[in-house]
Amino acid sequence: MENVNLRRGAAPLATLALFTMALLAAPQAQANDYPTETRVDYVLGCMAANGQDHLMMQKCSCSIDVIAELMPHEEYEAARTVMSMQDQPGELGMLFRTERSMQEDLNHFRSVQAEADLRCF
């Protein structure tokens, strides 16, 4: 009878092990959810602002990888939208410059980007 009890205990342990492995793999899966186009766009903009050499390409690529690690793609896109719309004249631009939740999204992106700069530059 003891062997039967051990076998019954093995299934929950195996399930727990699989669940733990899935949790450990989850951050890596999230880090790769940015489309290639988004990553390339970021790297090209970063290089345009900082230099057009191989070393800068590596640093900018590192930076978007860190951002992808720390921020879901949907949040990144929302912050990019706020940044681009802030330059619009009139009421629409004013909304993107003054709306509290949009500013919080932008501040979160800036803190993530600062962390990426610390790690990569």
Side-chain angles (χ1 to χ4, degrees), residues 4-20:
V4 173
N5 288 336
L6 287 176
R7 279 192 220 141
R8 287 184 190 161
L13 287 177
T15 303
L16 180 60
L18 287 172
F19 181 72
T20 302

Side-chain angles (χ1 to χ4, degrees), residues 8-117:
R8 287 184 190 161
L13 287 177
T15 303
L16 180 60
L18 287 172
F19 181 72
T20 302
M21 289 185 338
L23 285 177
L24 292 174
Q28 206 161 26
Q30 288 177 342
N32 292 320
D33 73 345
Y34 279 45
T36 303
E37 181 181 349
T38 299
R39 290 177 182 270
V40 170
D41 185 54
Y42 181 91
V43 171
L44 291 175
C46 176
M47 290 177 68
N50 296 297
Q52 302 285 329
D53 59 18
H54 186 74
L55 179 61
M56 193 53 60
M57 186 267 306
Q58 290 176 323
K59 290 180 178 185
C60 293
S61 296
C62 172
S63 181
I64 190 62
D65 289 344
V66 171
I67 291 168
E69 175 187 325
L70 300 175
M71 174 181 258
H73 183 253
E74 296 78 28
E75 290 180 24
Y76 173 81
E77 285 298 321
R80 277 185 22 152
T81 300
V82 171
M83 286 173 31
S84 67
M85 294 302 291
Q86 284 183 335
D87 295 335
Q88 298 297 316
E91 290 181 33
L92 184 60
M94 179 70 79
L95 173 68
F96 282 89
R97 287 188 294 274
T98 59
E99 175 64 33
R100 182 181 177 106
S101 66
M102 291 182 197
Q103 292 307 307
E104 288 171 357
D105 291 346
L106 194 53
N107 289 337
H108 175 64
F109 170 72
R110 287 182 177 143
S111 68
V112 167
Q113 193 169 36
E115 176 64 24
D117 287 351

